[in-house]
């Protein structure tokens, strides 16, 4: 059964009724703990700071933990948030050679409200390179049902898991990127075809690419120096093995693996079900990345595939803006119904900015707004349709009011704050094909990279073909010592017959994980999978959620029911809502429905990296 809805933040049931709690525990001690918990919560409410949930090991437990974690399979847990345990689980660094040593995973577990639970659902926050411990939450329980335990963890190289990828110090990453092509993006005159294809443009593009390549090289050298051998054991193959290992450890060898994730998590999901096809339980993946391209192409070639829907996202952005008019979208002009006119103004602005970068006196730090940076901001904000009004406002300030500061501030606050270090590169480069010095695909020259950028502009996206490097900072694997992984690297096949059907979810206009990839994976897995389509822009279904999608995912986790082939869900929100006019529709929803939408939105923030 789907069970009751819980307060998503604390994991306690709404209305304060404790559901059938049947864990075999001492009830007197339990009552004491409940009272203590309430006292602590009440205190926290006043003194917010000391109560911030922490997944770090409390000081007084550190010695005990050290004693407990000696060999693969050892685990250590403590209560760290209401209804959530934090822990450490030891896994072999190399599953084929135990002498290599141990990896200690930081794991969190949201406890099911039922005993026994239906099992555990493993999660992943996308990225890659992002901490997953916050996913053990009532938000995910809203999706998969609170009769499961929900496991979040920091994948290898990330967060509190050790060894971790720490190449920079926290400060040097910011200093390293500031006012370089890593912050400013690639600037090209994209809307004047004769200029775009002129030799002087190519020369300027090449100069920017040389800087990009040199910076990527420096980062790779920094990681080789500061992290070294551990990089050999990063990558998605190992993370899939870690999930399998934990599932056996927690639930025994016969328990199938359940998994729910999105974005890069769809890659991890594709590895998981194809590496362990006989152990597949309930698996839902959303916002699909093409696993063939991921493993066959080096990461600097991914944009060709991953951006195949981004011009559609732009169309949604423009037409919704025109429909809303100036009351909902600051880029629209009164009495103008044409999205075309808005698009033309943006193109003109971008090319003007190419010739005239704007100085910006942001309070964060002063700097320059370039056309490459604005394009990169589009790629980032396209992912989150709820942020479109704010983005349109800041863009209108720059375009119509000669004020670049709000837009520049979006970039300068902290460029790519979601990647505090280079674990994304460690993972993507480990997954990439092995380096061959004679193969220009894996070992490209600057000219090869310029050619690839120009091809992506002309074949995939005129606006955004070379603009994803800030939101999706891939490439440079040719400089990584352990490119292609160390000991083990799964690279398909992707068409295994699975022990249980999985559910694939995709938006129609996802800017970075296109519907074409979802169709491809569905085609590979055939009737081992079902495809559910949500008719919306944004990155993953959760970025602009639909109750229809959420209820179908819940039904699948509940009793295995899959949506009929060809099911299309509509989102439940309006793009560019006009204040005071378009916001009332949620009044008609039940409390439960509102909570489900809110849970999806909170998860959407993680996958669109709005959450810091
Ligand atoms: C395109 O750029 C060329 C210079 O390279 C210029 O002569 C021409 O006027 C531009 N076209 C438009 C439509 O701006
Ligand atoms: C835009 O603002 C800058 C100062 O930030 C000023 O130098 C420039 O003249 C202004 N341009 C217009 C068209 O107002
Ligand atoms: C799976 O794909 C491989 C190629 O990667 C192909 O040789 C094989 O026939 C496919 N298997 C099935 C069952 O379609
Ligand atoms: C998938 O289809 C094949 C035939 O195309 C059939 O033999 C098999 O039983 C089906 N599997 C499932 C899980 O429906
Ligand atoms: C599966 O569960 C959903 C609710 O989560 C329910 O609406 C549906 O009727 C159930 N289907 C079956 C076959 O039990």
């Amino acid at each position: 059964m789907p069970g009751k809805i819980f307060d998503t933040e604390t994991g306690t049931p709404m209305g304060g009724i404790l559901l059938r709690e049947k864990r075999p525990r001492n009830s007197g001690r339990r009552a004491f703990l409940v009272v203590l918990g309430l006292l602590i919560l009440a205190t926290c409410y006043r003194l917010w700071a000391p109560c911030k949930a922490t997944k770090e090991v409390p000081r007084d437990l550190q010695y005990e933990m050290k004693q407990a974690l000696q060999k693969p399979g050892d685990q250590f847990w403590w209560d760290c948030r209401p209804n959530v345990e934090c822990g450490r689980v030891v896994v072999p660094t190399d599953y084929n050679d135990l002498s290599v040593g141990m990896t200690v995973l930081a794991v969190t577990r949201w406890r099911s409200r039922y005993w026994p639970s239906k099992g555990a659902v493993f999660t992943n926050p996308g990225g890659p390179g992002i901490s997953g411990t916050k996913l053990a939450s009532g938000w995910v329980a809203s999706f998969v049902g609170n009769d499961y335990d929900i496991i979040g963890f920091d994948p290898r190289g990330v967060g509190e898991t050790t060894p971790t990828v720490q190449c920079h110090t926290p400060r040097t990453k910011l200093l390293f990127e500031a006012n370089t092509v890593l912050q400013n993006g690639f600037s090209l005159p994209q809307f004047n075809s004769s200029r775009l294809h002129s030799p002087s443009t190519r020369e300027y593009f090449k100069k920017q690419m040389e800087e990009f390549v040199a910076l990527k090289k420096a980062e790779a050298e920094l990681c080789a120096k500061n992290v070294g051998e551990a990089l050999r054991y990063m990558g998605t193959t190992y993370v899939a093995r870690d999930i399998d290992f934990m599932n056996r450890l927690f639930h025994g060898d016969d328990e199938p693996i359940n998994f729910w994730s999105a974005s890069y998590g769809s890659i991890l999901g594709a590895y998981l079900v194809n590496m362990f096809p006989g152990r597949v339980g309930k698996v839902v993946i959303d916002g699909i990345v093409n696993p063939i391209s991921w493993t066959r192409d080096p990461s600097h070639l991914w944009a060709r595939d991953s951006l195949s829907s981004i011009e559609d996202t732009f169309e949604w952005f423009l037409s919704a803006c025109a429909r809303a008019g100036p009351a909902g979208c600051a880029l629209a002009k009164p009495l103008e119904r044409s999205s075309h006119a808005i698009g033309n103004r943006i193109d003109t602005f971008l090319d003007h900015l190419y010739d005239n970068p704007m100085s910006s006196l942001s309070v964060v730090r002063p700097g320059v707004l370039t056309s490459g940076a604005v394009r990169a901001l589009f790629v980032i904000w396209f992912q989150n349709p709820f942020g479109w009004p704010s983005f349109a406002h800041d863009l209108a300030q720059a375009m119509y009011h000669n004020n670049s500061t709000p837009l520049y501030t979006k970039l300068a606050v902290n460029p790519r704050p979601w990647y505090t270090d280079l674990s994304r590169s460690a993972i993507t480069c480990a997954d990439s094909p092995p380096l061959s010095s004679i193969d220009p695909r894996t070992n490209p020259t600057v000219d090869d990279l310029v050619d690839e950028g120009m091809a992506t502009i002309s074949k995939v996206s005129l606006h955004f073909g070379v603009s994803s490097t800030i939101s999706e900072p891939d490439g440079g694997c040719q400089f990584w010592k352990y490119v292609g992984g160390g000991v083990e690297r799964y690279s398909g096949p992707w068409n295994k017959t699975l022990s249980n059907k999985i559910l694939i979810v995709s938006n129609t206009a996802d800017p970075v994980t296109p519907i074409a990839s979802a169709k491809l994976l569905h085609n590979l897995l055939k009737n081992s999978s079902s495809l559910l389509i949500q008719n919306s822009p944004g990155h993953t279904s959760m970025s602009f959620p639909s109750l229809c999608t959420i209820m179908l995912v819940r039904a699948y986790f509940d009793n295995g029911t899959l949506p009929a082939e060809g099911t299309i869900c509509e989102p439940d929100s309006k793009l560019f809502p006009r204040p005071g006019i378009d916001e009332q529709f949620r009044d008609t929803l039940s409390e439960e429905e509102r909570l489900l939408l809110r849970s999806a939105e909170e998860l959407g923030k993680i996958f669109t990296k709005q959450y810091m």
Side-chain angles (χ1 to χ4, degrees), residues 356-436:
N356 309 277
M358 294 168 86
S359 57
S360 305
L361 300 183
S362 170
V363 292
V364 182
R365 59 190 161 89
V368 178
L369 187 72
T370 64
S371 71
V374 175
R375 282 204 191 78
L377 284 167
F378 265 108
V379 180
I380 293 168
W381 288 82
F382 276 162
Q383 299 185 23
N384 168 30
F386 288 118
W388 288 5
S390 149
F391 182 58
H393 170 270
D394 293 355
L395 199 52
Q397 281 292 312
M399 284 168 58
Y400 306 153
H401 303 288
N402 193 23
N403 174 14
S404 63
T405 299
L407 209 49
Y408 179 79
T409 303
K410 276 187 160 48
L411 199 72
V413 163
N414 185 346
R416 295 191 253 145
W418 45 92
Y419 295 119
T420 50
D421 213 309
L422 298 169
S423 49
R424 180 183 174 116
S425 299
I427 295 163
T428 55
C429 292
D431 288 0
S432 276
L435 181 63
S436 153

Side-chain angles (χ1 to χ4, degrees), residues 250-536:
F250 301 159
H251 301 284
D253 285 347
D254 298 329
E255 188 72 13
I257 301 168
N258 305 311
F259 181 72
W260 174 89
S261 189
S263 192
Y264 158 77
S266 73
I267 279 293
L268 178 54
Y271 277 61
L272 200 55
V273 300
N274 283 287
M275 284 170 66
F276 308 104
R279 307 193 56 232
V280 176
K282 303 271 171 63
V283 172
V284 173
I285 49 177
D286 185 338
I288 308 302
V289 180
N290 175 345
I292 297 179
S293 169
W294 184 271
T295 43
R296 186 198 55 200
D297 301 331
S299 65
H300 67 270
L301 299 177
W302 291 346
R304 244 193 219 218
D305 197 86
S306 67
L307 297 181
S308 68
S309 283
I310 200 167
E311 292 288 334
D312 293 344
T313 320
F314 193 34
E315 281 303 314
W316 277 78
F317 178 88
L318 294 175
S319 49
C321 176
R323 253 194 326 272
C329 176
L331 289 166
K333 296 253 158 118
L335 303 177
E336 175 187 77
R337 305 295 296 171
S338 157
S339 62
H340 218 76
I342 302 170
N344 283 341
R345 284 199 293 275
I346 292 172
D347 291 358
T348 306
F349 169 70
L350 287 171
D351 270 7
H352 183 76
L353 197 57
Y354 172 76
D355 292 314
N356 309 277
M358 294 168 86
S359 57
S360 305
L361 300 183
S362 170
V363 292
V364 182
R365 59 190 161 89
V368 178
L369 187 72
T370 64
S371 71
V374 175
R375 282 204 191 78
L377 284 167
F378 265 108
V379 180
I380 293 168
W381 288 82
F382 276 162
Q383 299 185 23
N384 168 30
F386 288 118
W388 288 5
S390 149
F391 182 58
H393 170 270
D394 293 355
L395 199 52
Q397 281 292 312
M399 284 168 58
Y400 306 153
H401 303 288
N402 193 23
N403 174 14
S404 63
T405 299
L407 209 49
Y408 179 79
T409 303
K410 276 187 160 48
L411 199 72
V413 163
N414 185 346
R416 295 191 253 145
W418 45 92
Y419 295 119
T420 50
D421 213 309
L422 298 169
S423 49
R424 180 183 174 116
S425 299
I427 295 163
T428 55
C429 292
D431 288 0
S432 276
L435 181 63
S436 153
S437 54
I438 51 161
D439 176 4
R441 276 168 46 84
T442 62
N443 194 17
T445 62
V446 170
D447 271 308
D448 293 334
L449 294 170
V450 167
D451 288 342
E452 178 63 20
M454 294 306 288
T456 309
I457 287 174
S458 56
K459 296 199 180 110
V460 183
S461 169
L462 174 60
H463 291 86
F464 309 106
V466 291
S467 309
S468 64
T469 50
I470 290 178
S471 62
E472 316 290 325
D474 298 317
C477 292
Q478 62 272 33
F479 305 117
W480 283 71
K481 199 166 161 197
Y482 300 114
V483 58
V487 181
E488 197 186 1
R489 176 182 166 267
Y490 188 78
S491 59
W494 307 103
N495 56 2
K496 301 272 181 77
T497 300
L498 311 182
S499 55
N500 197 22
K501 275 196 174 200
I502 72 164
L503 177 58
I504 298 168
V505 183
S506 179
N507 287 358
T508 44
D510 187 314
V512 287
T513 54
I515 189 166
S517 298
K519 289 181 172 163
L520 175 110
L521 186 61
H522 181 41
N523 234 340
L524 285 163
L525 291 170
K526 299 260 169 13
N527 64 354
S528 284
S529 66
S530 271
L531 175 61
L532 169 61
I533 293 171
Q534 180 173 306
N535 186 31
S536 69

Side-chain angles (χ1 to χ4, degrees), residues 5-9 14 138-139 142-143 386 542 544-548 550-551 554 572-573 583-603 605:
I5 309 296
F6 288 80
D7 179 324
T8 46
E9 272 168 34
M14 300 291 287
W139 295 328
S142 298
F143 256 74
F386 288 118
M542 293 158 284
F544 206 59
S546 156
L547 277 171
C548 160
I550 300 169
M551 295 314 285
R554 274 172 75 86
D572 284 304
S573 303
E583 277 160 346
Q584 299 96 328
F585 81 100
R586 287 202 180 178
D587 296 351
T588 61
L589 300 180
S590 70
E591 194 182 343
E592 170 170 349
E593 288 171 328
R594 276 204 294 267
L595 187 63
L596 286 175
L597 282 175
R598 162 108 201 280
S599 300
E601 283 166 24
E602 293 296 333
L603 293 168
K605 288 181 194 169

Side-chain angles (χ1 to χ4, degrees), residues 100-334:
V100 171
M102 306 190 306
T103 290
V104 181
L105 300 173
V107 186
T108 50
R109 174 161 51 205
W110 186 91
R111 289 189 214 96
S112 160
R113 285 289 155 165
Y114 296 87
W115 181 266
S117 74
K118 272 166 92 175
V121 178
F122 285 83
T123 61
N124 173 274
I130 298 175
S131 164
T133 47
K134 63 171 99 61
L135 282 171
S137 68
W139 295 328
V140 179
S142 298
F143 256 74
V144 308
N146 53 40
D147 34 12
Y148 290 95
D149 289 332
I150 293 161
I151 313 270
F153 66 102
D154 287 347
R156 290 187 181 207
V158 181
E160 305 287 319
T161 285
T162 54
T164 190
V165 174
Q166 197 162 53
C167 309
H168 283 286
T169 68
R171 264 181 61 77
T172 60
K173 180 133 197 302
L174 275 181
L175 292 171
F176 184 79
E177 292 179 347
N179 291 312
T180 70
V181 69
L182 298 182
Q183 180 201 298
N184 293 338
F186 292 106
S187 291
L188 295 172
Q190 259 150 275
F191 307 109
N192 178 330
S193 173
S194 65
R195 265 189 100 184
L196 177 62
H197 296 287
S198 72
S200 63
T201 295
R202 186 181 171 93
E203 217 31 57
Y204 181 52
F205 187 15
K206 204 174 154 180
K207 279 281 154 229
Q208 297 173 72
M209 191 62 81
E210 279 164 359
E211 180 185 322
F212 179 81
V213 165
L215 291 166
K216 288 281 176 187
K217 184 163 185 277
E219 285 186 332
E221 286 167 357
L222 190 65
C223 287
K225 174 166 166 274
N226 292 349
V227 184
E229 282 294 303
L231 294 171
R232 204 184 272 281
Y233 303 96
M234 303 290 161
T236 307
T237 309
Y238 292 103
V239 181
R241 287 219 179 277
D242 293 341
I243 291 177
D244 173 57
F245 184 92
M246 283 192 279
N247 199 58
R248 287 177 197 272
L249 183 66
F250 301 159
H251 301 284
D253 285 347
D254 298 329
E255 188 72 13
I257 301 168
N258 305 311
F259 181 72
W260 174 89
S261 189
S263 192
Y264 158 77
S266 73
I267 279 293
L268 178 54
Y271 277 61
L272 200 55
V273 300
N274 283 287
M275 284 170 66
F276 308 104
R279 307 193 56 232
V280 176
K282 303 271 171 63
V283 172
V284 173
I285 49 177
D286 185 338
I288 308 302
V289 180
N290 175 345
I292 297 179
S293 169
W294 184 271
T295 43
R296 186 198 55 200
D297 301 331
S299 65
H300 67 270
L301 299 177
W302 291 346
R304 244 193 219 218
D305 197 86
S306 67
L307 297 181
S308 68
S309 283
I310 200 167
E311 292 288 334
D312 293 344
T313 320
F314 193 34
E315 281 303 314
W316 277 78
F317 178 88
L318 294 175
S319 49
C321 176
R323 253 194 326 272
C329 176
L331 289 166
K333 296 253 158 118

